[in-house]
Every structure is written in structure tokens, then in C-alpha cells.
Amino acid sequence: MNPPSLNDPTSRRGFFQLTLGWLAAGFAVAASSAAAMRFLVPNVLYEPSLRFKAGQPDDYAESSVTFLEEERVFLLRQGNTFRCLSAICTHLGCTVNRASNGYHCPCHGSVFNEQGTVLSGPAPRGLEWFSVTLSKDNRLLVDKSQRVNAGQYLVL
Amino acid sequence: MNEGPLHKFYGWFTGLSLLVGGLVVVAYYKDEFRSWKDYQRHFIQEEVRRATKPQQRALAEATPVQIRQIVLPELQRVDRCTTCHLAVEDSSYGGYPQPLAYHPQHDRHPFDKFGCTICHRGQGRATTMADAHGNVPHWDAPMLPLRYIQASCGQCHQAADNPAAPELARGSQVFEANGCRGCHKLGNSGGMVGPELDKVGARRSSEWLKKHFLTPAAVTPGSGMPPQKFSEPDLEAITLFMLSQTGESVPGFYASMKVIPSANEGRRLFQQKGCIACHAIGGQGGKIAPALDDVGLRRTPAWIVQHFRDPQSVSPGTVMPRFGFTEPEVRALTEFLVHLRDQQVALSLPSLMSPVERGREIYRKYGCAGCHGTDGKGGVPNPNAKTAQQVPALTYVADGYKKDEIKKLILNGQHEITPLDPKLPPPPLYMPAWRGTIADAEFDDLITYLFSLKPKGEDLGF
Amino acid sequence: MNAPWPSRLWQRFARTRVGHSVFRVGLPHSNLERAQAMVSSFLLHVQPAKVNRHALRPTATLGLGLISLYLFFILTGTGVLLMFYYVPSTDRAYDAMKDLQFVVSAGLILRNMHRWAAHLMVLFVMLHLCRVFYTGAYKRPREFNWLIGTGLFLLTLGLSFTGYLLPWDQLAFWAITVGTSIAGYAPVVGPKLKYLLLGGNVVGQEALIRFYALHVIVLPGLAALGICIHLWRVRKDGGLARPDEPADSVQQIELSQLPTNKSYGLMELARGTTPQVGKNPEDEIFSWPHLIFRELLLFLAVVAVVLFLAVFWNAPLEQLANPIHPPNPAKAPWYFLGLQELVSYSAFWGGVVVPGLLVTVLVLLPYLDRGRAGVGRWFARERTVANTIFTVCLVVAIALTLIGSVFRGPNWSWQTPWQPPPAVVEGH
């Protein structure tokens, strides 16, 4: 003989309570898991920022290519236009050198032209251009997280 | 075999599950809805409202709501103030109510190199207003009231006659003039009667400091420090100067900015570097090199600056060596030379002073005035001391002592001060031993000065 | 068709190929299935298929052991998460705590949960110890389980103590300074023990990393092992202690006397009792669902309490640890305050003799107490002497702890909490 059912399904109150209970418990479990996952995603980073200020426009000569060592970029000025080129070779990450009409990587010999396009060597693609804007306090603001096309530049 | 139906527990199950679910919701709410997010949305709204071109508007609307921080590993801190104070670099926000106001005068101290809390104090890592401003339990460095902000300049820059921080300079001057150093050690020198002051600015609030100046015994029971009578501006200035003594050690880049060029700093350097050996001023000094009295008229400041950097470059064939001055030193020395015509600056050179004047400087330098009064007038209370319950005045030392006796007294000090009433506690102030502190060469000038204190023409009837 | 909807939903999943590969037994509908549900589950099979009716009553044990276990789970869960941000370096630990409080999502609530659960666990382990004593559940055959329990108690104190240092604030630093100094008073081994604990002579980076290693892996590992053995032994000793246990429930099988011309199954040779042996069938209740459901309810209650505390009260965090500025007074964590009070009278008696005696008595208790009566009943008359001695010790311990926490002020002077303490002249 089967024992009487442990639950009393004919009791609507029991049904309602169970439903509500399992829903609440299920929600609590799901929400806690989601919270734990979100917990693991950092909100602040202690790495050097990808956005940095590169000084004032007038710090750069009229027609110049300036290497910013710490940030590993070149800042180019032509008249009143400003551009920023990454100095990190797309092959294996060495810092490229400025050559007479382009850039040259000392590690495996990749050669790039003034636009950053690969001319020869093992690099798979051209050097990256980064966005340059003007900050509120009149400083050049480079954002290495924003890549732009070779043709884009900041005009003052 | 049967315990009974479980459904009598369903109520408990439901209740507890709902409670747990409810608490999870409350926890989520508390975590997600932070006040800094409101401030940021407010700022974004304002930026959108002010946008004149559609791309500006799009840029403003796309601003992410996130915590912003300035990481300063050399200063060992992280400042998150810009999470709410979003317009500090934007001069168009001048006059806006906080936290959206513009922060003036940050050209020399860019935010990405200095952050905020190095000057303003507070708790940089916090993201709620009360915690960030630091007036909370268990945070010892609350924000400095704005009127004391120059105290922070003193952490990196010298205080004495700092032209960019006049309140700080005034505080330093009040400190030296009133002889606080006589009892309190600050930096390398000072007496040991009272505690060292090197970190007092980190441990005490401005209210405590002010009260301590006015009524020391009320805030420090058992203190022998006499109540100070400062004018209100002097009181504020010396409180500010005390607040600047935080003992904060700043690394390389920041410490190199110690000298804000001033003529007095130049004078000090001129003396320290021994320029007088070759260059004469006011007829005194070496004859090898040109006299410098009128150099400010003969040469431009730019020439003088370059001459300090590299004498050969502007004076080919000169024998003046390249001294390797730092830029601030160069500018200070130039200031000094350019203003040499100003009598006050020239005659303040120690080598040009008379022994009495030098002695007065020494009296001032070691803070004797703190107990014996300015110019030895006395009047500082020393309860229960036989000498009329005061630290004795020095005006009549010439009559009462020989030079050797005075020198011995200063060298050895006098720890036991005769009490007026032996039954009462002994007098708190005593004469410390200055052996090893006052240099041997300084004694003669000091005693010359002390002996000169006797009022002229008075017959004391001794 | 009669089952409630959650059961039906689950059953549909459990009968799929994937579901069936993981959960061999679906939701039980017959007694056989109820027994199978317990035995075929890795997590559940530490509990028997049937439990005695008395064990289900809340007043039998007050669920204190279970509560301690649940708190351990909560601590492990929150602790592992916190490990993703905390750095055990004297330069970074305090800043990590501040970051958890201000910039990490759910950082504050997790840290609060961890701290309150820790205090609660120490408290409930102590309460569990008292319950086991008062119900005589340490007597034969449960002596060894009492020893394991004592070990777990000391591990709990160790976990709480090692964790206490990690925030590296004034509270942490000085509490551990006081605590390790008390440890250093032990004769012969004291100073060496302190040197080993601290990795040196002062509370510094070496101490912090050692405490961290102890706190996150060594002590939890040992505790987990101890808990497994502890629960297993409850089974093997005949379940939770109850009043109508047969007097001699341990059946010894002399292996040498067994006939050798047959092979034996495991159940014939395994010593000790199983619930089916010699018990009244009407007293045996299926664990599924009666025990499981009650355990689930208790778990929900514990989570609710910990969450409630964590949401509304923040765990303390004082100023950064400063070795040259002790707070006045510097107090050990609350569970050591009684000891600290004793130490203020005499370092030797308070720091060495009394705690040494206490631990020794605890360990030897089941072997000293030969009486067999009073098992499974609260405050049994037959055990009045033992109960009285224990209660006196308990009251004294509570009193000392109270004094140490509330009635001691600067310089460990007596103070009444409702009157302001005298102004302390602070040295500069």
C-alpha cells in the first residue's frame, strides 16, 4: 500500500505556498549567482590608462614626428593637423624606429611607409592609428582604445 | 513510518524563501544605486544641454557612467574624486555648484601627476561623499578646510618666504619669530622641552591646534607650555604652518620642486654656495671676479640665468666653474642678484652683519625667544618658579654674569629650577643643555648679542 | 498527477537521457525510491536512508551542528570570491579592503557576509559543544567523535583568528599582537610557537602571508576533512544521541571467531550499528523528504540571518595598521577576551594554565566520564554534578568575556560602560 502522499495536492494553499517558495528560492539562487559573476568583473583597473594627454599643441614643432617613449606612439604634426601612430610592430610587438620616409622594425625587418602600411617584412598588417582629440583644457588627448583610419586627424 | 505531512512546513518554506529573496533584492538595490551615478547622470545631462553641435551632443550622450580614478603609484594613493567632480579641468564650469565646479590653478600641478588628496586630503579611495571627504570615524586625514589649503604646499615646497604660498610663509615666520623652536624640535633643530613637531599636522586637527595655542593646559593636561598671544591672522597662519608638518615623504619628481624661487632663497643659496669667495658685494668678498652690486642693471635676467646654467656659453674664457645648479636654484639666485639693489636683501647676508646682528639671528634661530621672550624681555610664565614665577628675562645678563659663566650656563643648561613653594609641583619649564646644538663658533656672537641687551644709560645700582 | 508542479517539472527532466545519466533516481514515490534517493546520491549518502523519529525534533539538537556546517559553507563560498580581490601584502591588503567596500560590485555585501558568518560560526560551534555536553552525547560510543569535534572547535578558532589579521587595520593588527603574545606565554614551546606563527618576532609581512596561507588552505582543508569524518562518525555511532538508545549499541564482531568457510559481504564485517539493527520500525522515518526538507529550511534560515546582518550592518574597518600607535586598550577578538582578562591578572595562570587545563579537560572528558546514563536527554538528573561543573565554567567564561569586552577601558582599567571614562593623557 502506498503511503499517503507527502504533499496534499488538494490543498490550494499548499500549492500556492510551494510555488511561491520555489520561485523565491529559485530567484535568490539565480540572483546570487549573477551577483557573484558580476562581482568578478573589475570596475576599475590599475593598468596605465589607454587615454592620455600628450601636452599642448604648441609643444610640437610645425612639421614633426615625435616619439613618445612611455606610451609607445608617434605624434605627428603637419601644420595644424595632428595624428597619432602606434609604434608597436604588428608582427610580434617590438617598438619600431623612425626611418627617413617611414618606419622600420629592428626585430625582424618589417618596413612601413608614412601611412603605416606594410611595405615589406613579416608584419601582417599596417601600424595602427589612434584617435586624437582636444581636451577641455587645451591638451592633445590620445585614446589608444579608439582606432581610426589613416586619413583621420585632428584639425585645430 | 510516517512523520506526518510536510505541508505544515510549507508556510515556513515560503516565508524564509521570500525573506531570502527579499534580502537579495535589498542587497542588489544598495549595491547598484549609488550616489555617484546620480552625480554623473546629472553632469551628462548638463553636457547634453550645453552641446551646440550634434556631434558634441552625441559625444556627451555616449559618456559612460563609471568610476573614474587617478592612480598615483609614486604617491601611493588612488584618487576617485573625479568620479563626482567631473568638470575640474573644464574652465567653462567656473562658478557651478559642487561637485561640478571647475578647479582653478592646476597648470603647475596637473591632475594626472598629483591627483587631489595630496593637497586636499580626504579619503581618495572612497566613492561616497561622506567617506571621500573623510569626516568619518577611523579616517585620520579629513579634507582640509579650504582656508588652510596652503598647508599642503609645505609638504613638497619649503615654507619660509614662499612667494606662492604667503599664508604658509607667514606661518613659518611667526614660528621662528616667537621662538617656538626653543622648546619644540622641527626638522633638524630645536629644543626637547616639548614634543617634536615633525608630524603634528597629520595627527591634530585645526581646531585642536588653535585651542592648543590659546590654552595649552586645557587640551594637554600637565603641559608647561605658556598660553600664546597671537593676533587672529598670526594664529591662523601658524595653525596652517603646523598643519603643513605631516611628515609625508615625497619621492623624487615631487621633491625636486622644493624651491620656489625667491630672492631670500637666492640669498641663502648665495651664502651656502660660497659665492662671496670670488664675488664681492658691498665691498666685502673676493676680488677675483666682478663685484655683483649692480649686476641687475648690467645684465638681463635671461643672461644671468644662462650664466648660472653654463658660464662658458655666455662668458667665453671665464674661470667660473659650472656648479650644476638645479633650475629652481638658478631662478632663485637670479632673483636675488636682480634685487640686490634692495638694501634689505643685501644686508641680510650673514657675512655682512655685525656680531650683534649675527647674535640676534642665532638667538632667533634656536628659538630662545620661546622662553626668554623677544629680545630677551622675558615674561613667559613658569608656574612655581622662584624667579617671580616666570622664565627670567635676559636684559641684565651683562651685569650679573661674566662671559664664561654665561657660556657654561648655556652649554650645560639647568634642569633643576628652584621652586617657590616646595610643596607644589616643580616648575614645568627648564633650561635645556645646548651643548652640541649651538655650534662653538656661534657662541661668541650670541653672547655679544646678549650683553648688548642692557638698556643704554640706565643705572641699575648693582 | 497528484504530485505538485515542481515535482512534475523535475521528473520530466530526470527522465531524459541527460537527466537520467546524472540523477539515477528521480523524485521518489515509493519507500524503496526514498531509500534509493539517499543512498545513490554522493552528497546525500552521508545521511542514512532512515532516521530516528527523535532526531527530527528541533529540541533534540537545536540544529546547532547543521548551522555550524552551513556557516562553513557560506564562509567558504564568500571567502573564495573575496580571494579574487584581496592581496596579502602589507602594502596592498588595506587598500584591497577599501576597494571591496567602494568599487567592487557586491564587494561590501560579500565582505560583510563573510565577517558576520565568521563570528556566528565561532558562536554556534561553542553552542554546539554545550549542547553535546548537556545531552551527554560524548559518552560511549561517541568519544572519538567528541575528540574530532574538539579539534574542529580549535580549527574554527584558528580560522577566525587567522582571518582576523587579513584586513591589516588597527583592529586586526593589535588583536593579533595581543593574541600571539598570549600564545607566547606557554612554557617551553611558547616563544618558539609565537616565532613560528609570526614568521619572525614582529607582526609584519611574514606573519600576514603565513596567516593567509593558514586561513585559505591549511585550516579550511583540515576543517573540511574533520567535518567529513565527524559526520561519518555520527552515522557509525548510531545516529544522533537519543534517550532510548539500547545500552550496548556497539556490536563487536570478533573476526577470529567467524567461520572461514564462507565469504562475507561488507555489511557483515563492518563494525558498529546501522539504523535497521535492533530498532523499533515505528521510530524510523525516511530521510527523504522529512530530514532533507527540514535541513533545507534551516539552511534558508541561516542564509536569511547572515544576509540580514550583512545588508544592514557593515563589518568594521579601522585605520591602516600602525605598529607605533596601539589603541588604548588593545583588545583580542571577542572569543579570546576572557583569556585576555585572565592574563591581566597573571600571564602564567591566565595564558597558560587555564587554557591548557580547559583544552585538556575537553579532550579527556569522554574518557574521564564513565557514567553511561543520561545520553540524549537535556540536563539529565543522573548527570547533575557534571552539568553543574560545566555550567559554572561556562558562566565564568561568559563573565570574563563580558568584563573584557565592556568593562575594561584604557590601560585595561575598570570602567563602567554607562559612565564616560576618565580623560587619558596621551603621550606624544
Side-chain angles (χ1 to χ4, degrees):
Chain A
M1 175 197 118
N2 269 344
S5 176
L6 298 155
N7 321 298
D8 192 356
T10 59
S11 151
R12 275 212 210 103
R13 201 178 95 203
F15 170 79
F16 177 68
Q17 280 174 335
L18 252 190
T19 308
L20 198 56
W22 280 114
L23 276 177
F27 164 77
V29 169
S32 309
S33 311
M37 294 295 118
R38 180 64 184 89
F39 170 84
L40 293 173
V41 177
N43 290 320
V44 293
L45 293 175
Y46 288 92
E47 304 157 0
S49 175
L50 288 174
R51 300 170 75 219
F52 67 94
K53 291 203 179 135
Q56 290 181 317
D58 287 329
D59 291 344
Y60 299 90
E62 277 263 337
S63 174
S64 62
V65 176
T66 315
F67 178 57
L68 301 177
E69 182 172 349
E70 236 184 82
E71 305 289 347
R72 297 179 79 191
V73 294
F74 291 100
L75 200 80
L76 290 77
R77 178 178 182 177
Q78 192 67 33
N80 263 344
T81 69
F82 292 84
R83 297 189 292 167
C84 182
L85 180 67
S86 165
I88 300 174
C89 181
T90 53
H91 178 226
L92 289 177
C94 290
T95 310
V96 304
N97 295 324
R98 173 85 184 132
S100 52
N101 56 348
Y103 306 89
H104 176 262
C105 182
C107 292
H108 304 97
S110 298
V111 178
F112 305 87
N113 68 3
E114 294 279 2
Q115 313 311 316
T117 324
V118 188
L119 294 177
S120 69
R125 53 182 190 284
L127 295 170
E128 286 163 353
W129 291 93
F130 296 132
S131 117
V132 185
T133 48
L134 196 66
S135 75
K136 292 270 175 68
D137 54 338
N138 203 46
R139 298 274 188 294
L140 294 169
L141 190 62
V142 176
D143 191 346
K144 292 200 275 191
S145 66
Q146 303 267 31
R147 292 194 197 94
V148 295
N149 298 326
Q152 273 181 282
Y153 40 79
L154 172 70
V155 188
L156 290 186
Chain B
M1 181 133 85
N2 292 317
E3 167 59 20
L6 268 182
H7 62 218
K8 59 182 178 176
F9 286 118
Y10 287 175
W12 280 102
F13 174 64
T14 312
L16 283 172
S17 290
L18 283 171
L19 182 59
V20 171
L23 285 169
V24 168
V25 169
V26 175
Y28 168 77
Y29 176 80
K30 282 186 113 180
D31 190 61
E32 184 66 20
F33 292 90
R34 309 276 192 116
S35 51
W36 60 262
K37 293 190 183 179
D38 290 331
Y39 288 124
Q40 288 205 355
R41 290 194 194 103
H42 189 64
F43 174 70
I44 291 173
Q45 272 172 11
E46 184 61 19
E47 284 281 277
V48 166
R49 192 189 66 84
R50 284 151 52 115
T52 45
K53 295 195 271 249
Q55 75 225 44
Q56 275 179 350
R57 192 192 176 88
L59 208 67
E61 275 168 353
T63 316
V65 175
Q66 63 187 21
I67 295 181
R68 288 139 214 276
Q69 64 179 21
I70 303 171
V71 180
L72 299 158
E74 283 164 348
L75 293 176
Q76 291 172 326
R77 57 188 71 211
V78 173
D79 285 344
R80 301 186 171 122
C81 320
T82 44
T83 302
C84 293
H85 292 274
L86 293 142
V88 282
E89 286 175 330
D90 189 344
S91 53
S92 69
Y93 277 87
Y96 268 67
Q98 294 288 13
L100 291 183
Y102 168 64
H103 185 301
Q105 294 173 12
H106 59 92
D107 268 1
R108 296 248 160 152
H109 300 90
F111 295 117
D112 55 352
K113 271 253 156 7
F114 288 83
C116 320
T117 57
I118 190 72
C119 294
H120 288 280
R121 306 195 193 173
Q123 188 176 182
R125 280 182 189 260
T127 51
T128 53
M129 185 170 90
D131 288 291
H133 291 193
N135 285 299
V136 288
H138 307 306
W139 189 258
D140 289 337
M143 264 181 75
L144 267 183
L146 210 52
R147 66 183 186 281
Y148 295 120
I149 194 66
Q150 289 183 23
S152 298
C153 309
Q155 286 177 129
C156 294
H157 300 285
Q158 60 161 37
D161 92 293
N162 185 329
E167 272 298 293
L168 181 65
R170 181 179 185 149
S172 165
Q173 190 237 340
V174 170
F175 182 81
E176 300 296 342
N178 284 279
C180 310
R181 225 178 252 286
C183 292
H184 292 282
K185 199 165 179 205
L186 183 66
N188 302 330
S189 65
M192 305 280 274
V193 182
E196 276 182 29
L197 296 177
D198 287 305
K199 296 205 175 128
V200 71
R203 287 188 295 117
R204 301 295 187 188
S205 68
S206 54
E207 293 88 33
W208 188 96
L209 286 166
K210 275 167 86 164
K211 252 194 269 181
H212 187 82
F213 282 124
L214 298 174
T215 47
V219 290
T220 316
S223 162
M225 172 162 158
Q228 303 296 314
K229 294 176 190 45
F230 292 129
S231 65
E232 188 62 26
D234 275 353
L235 181 64
E236 290 284 302
I238 194 166
T239 302
L240 191 149
F241 179 64
M242 287 292 100
L243 284 171
S244 76
Q245 305 302 314
T246 55
E248 181 101 25
S249 60
V250 281
F253 164 79
Y254 302 93
S256 70
M257 292 289 116
K258 213 151 178 40
V259 176
I260 296 189
S262 72
N264 276 327
E265 178 61 21
R267 169 187 72 86
R268 193 190 65 78
L269 283 167
F270 189 88
Q271 186 69 21
Q272 183 192 16
K273 306 284 180 184
C275 313
I276 202 85
C278 296
H279 293 275
I281 294 186
Q284 301 233 12
K287 307 283 189 273
I288 308 170
L292 295 177
D293 301 82
D294 290 345
V295 69
L297 298 178
R298 291 185 286 113
R299 300 290 186 188
T300 63
W303 187 97
I304 300 176
V305 163
Q306 192 52 36
H307 188 88
F308 278 121
R309 286 188 191 144
D310 183 3
Q312 288 289 339
S313 65
V314 289
S315 247
T318 178
V319 298
M320 171 158 161
R322 233 178 127 177
F323 283 94
F325 296 120
T326 64
E327 268 306 294
E329 286 177 337
V330 165
R331 290 204 288 268
L333 283 163
T334 307
E335 277 286 294
F336 168 65
L337 289 180
V338 163
H339 288 105
L340 254 186
R341 293 232 116 214
D342 182 348
Q343 288 282 345
Q344 222 170 3
V345 169
L347 287 178
S348 62
L349 273 177
S351 38
L352 298 182
M353 290 184 193
S354 68
V356 170
E357 285 165 334
R358 278 203 296 273
R360 182 186 291 121
E361 272 304 298
I362 294 164
Y363 182 85
R364 211 187 66 97
K365 173 178 166 188
Y366 290 102
C368 313
C371 288
H372 291 286
T374 329
D375 295 327
K377 285 198 182 57
V380 172
N382 194 12
N384 201 26
K386 197 148 186 210
T387 48
Q389 306 221 56
Q390 283 182 354
V391 177
L394 301 176
T395 15
Y396 307 123
V397 291
D399 296 319
Y401 293 88
K402 294 211 251 302
K403 283 204 173 172
D404 292 333
E405 287 169 335
I406 274 286
K407 183 166 179 179
K408 196 157 157 219
L409 191 55
I410 301 174
L411 274 173
N412 297 329
Q414 190 175 334
H415 252 266
E416 304 283 321
I417 304 293
T418 324
L420 196 58
D421 183 351
K423 290 197 282 291
L424 292 175
L429 297 175
Y430 62 91
M431 172 72 175
W434 293 95
R435 183 193 306 274
T437 314
I438 300 186
D440 223 24
E442 290 172 311
F443 265 107
D444 290 330
D445 290 332
L446 178 62
I447 294 171
T448 311
Y449 164 70
L450 291 174
F451 271 49
S452 75
L453 290 174
K454 177 176 169 184
K456 283 207 180 98
E458 223 180 347
D459 184 357
L460 300 169
F462 265 33
Chain C
M1 324 71 52
N2 277 341
W5 71 266
S7 313
R8 278 182 280 137
L9 200 63
W10 180 257
Q11 205 70 329
R12 284 180 66 189
F13 170 69
R15 285 207 195 103
T16 63
R17 186 144 170 242
V18 171
H20 191 252
S21 71
V22 180
F23 302 101
R24 298 286 187 200
V25 181
L27 278 176
H29 293 297
S30 67
N31 283 346
L32 177 62
E33 284 179 358
R34 287 183 192 102
Q36 272 183 324
M38 297 300 296
V39 172
S40 67
S41 158
F42 173 74
L43 292 174
L44 291 177
H45 88 290
V46 70
Q47 293 179 122
K50 282 180 156 188
V51 287
N52 190 285
R53 172 168 63 86
H54 289 285
L56 285 180
R57 288 177 300 125
T59 50
T61 62
L62 298 174
L64 295 171
L66 264 182
I67 293 176
S68 307
L69 179 68
Y70 294 148
L71 288 169
F72 184 74
F73 289 152
I74 293 173
L75 283 166
T76 307
T78 52
V80 166
L81 285 173
L82 289 169
M83 278 174 77
F84 278 82
Y85 286 100
Y86 175 80
V87 181
S89 150
T90 53
D91 294 330
R92 296 184 59 177
Y94 186 74
D95 288 338
M97 303 303 295
K98 287 285 179 186
D99 278 356
L100 279 167
Q101 182 182 356
F102 290 116
V103 299
V104 175
S105 294
L108 183 62
I109 190 89
L110 279 173
R111 193 230 157 179
N112 288 346
M113 281 176 73
H114 196 79
R115 184 96 178 196
W116 298 133
H119 283 307
L120 285 175
M121 186 171 173
V122 175
L123 176 67
F124 275 89
V125 165
M126 288 179 174
L127 289 175
H128 177 62
L129 184 154
C130 294
R131 190 284 292 172
V132 173
F133 182 91
Y134 281 127
T135 54
Y138 57 85
K139 293 173 187 277
R140 198 160 172 238
R142 296 179 175 86
E143 305 97 320
F144 186 57
N145 211 15
W146 169 267
L147 283 186
I148 299 178
T150 310
L152 284 173
F153 172 55
L154 293 174
L155 280 173
T156 306
L157 287 180
L159 276 166
S160 189
F161 189 64
T162 49
Y164 214 83
L165 179 66
L166 302 184
W168 202 252
D169 66 343
Q170 283 284 70
L171 186 66
F173 184 88
W174 292 103
I176 265 53
T177 303
V178 168
T180 48
S181 300
I182 295 178
Y185 285 134
V188 182
V189 295
K192 290 198 180 67
L193 180 66
K194 184 178 170 190
Y195 190 77
L196 201 64
L197 255 182
L198 294 182
N201 295 310
V202 295
V203 179
Q205 177 61 64
E206 287 69 28
L208 185 59
I209 192 69
R210 282 181 187 227
F211 273 51
Y212 183 70
L214 284 170
H215 186 75
V216 305
I217 192 67
V218 176
L219 296 179
L222 290 172
L225 185 65
I227 290 172
C228 290
I229 302 176
H230 196 66
L231 293 178
W232 188 81
R233 290 267 358 177
V234 169
R235 267 294 283 284
K236 287 299 164 190
D237 292 339
L240 295 173
R242 60 186 183 280
D244 53 356
E245 258 177 12
D248 193 354
S249 52
V250 176
Q251 297 174 358
Q252 309 250 1
I253 302 172
E254 280 302 325
L255 290 173
S256 57
Q257 290 175 359
L258 289 173
T260 53
N261 59 350
K262 58 178 278 210
S263 57
Y264 291 92
L266 178 64
M267 296 309 284
E268 289 173 278
L269 294 176
R271 294 170 56 194
T273 62
T274 55
Q276 285 91 333
V277 178
K279 302 297 187 299
N280 197 333
E282 281 91 55
D283 288 338
E284 296 304 314
I285 313 291
F286 277 102
S287 298
W288 187 293
H290 296 101
L291 178 63
I292 300 297
F293 198 72
R294 284 170 174 76
E295 289 179 334
L296 174 67
L297 280 186
L298 190 58
F299 180 66
L300 281 173
V302 170
V303 169
V305 169
V306 173
L307 254 184
F308 183 78
L309 291 172
V311 165
F312 293 108
W313 286 277
N314 286 342
L317 189 66
E318 298 188 355
Q319 293 92 328
L320 176 67
N322 188 344
I324 49 182
H325 263 136
N328 193 355
K331 292 197 176 176
W334 64 269
Y335 39 88
F336 287 151
L337 269 176
L339 274 183
Q340 195 178 358
E341 173 66 21
L342 276 178
V343 165
S344 74
Y345 304 136
S346 154
F348 179 66
W349 288 96
V352 179
V353 173
V354 169
L357 254 167
L358 273 176
V359 174
T360 313
V361 167
L362 272 184
V363 165
L364 292 179
L365 176 68
Y367 304 101
L368 291 174
D369 184 354
R370 309 273 182 84
R372 307 295 301 274
V375 175
R377 279 182 292 129
W378 284 85
F379 310 114
R381 281 277 177 80
E382 304 90 319
R383 301 181 57 233
T384 307
V385 175
N387 286 340
T388 314
I389 297 176
F390 186 85
T391 310
V392 167
C393 291
L394 190 63
V395 169
V396 170
I398 293 175
L400 285 174
T401 308
L402 253 177
I403 294 174
S405 65
V406 165
F407 289 92
R408 288 295 185 192
N411 303 320
W412 211 253
S413 60
W414 182 266
Q415 76 172 20
T416 42
W418 47 85
Q419 278 165 7
V424 175
V425 178
E426 199 184 304
H428 287 276

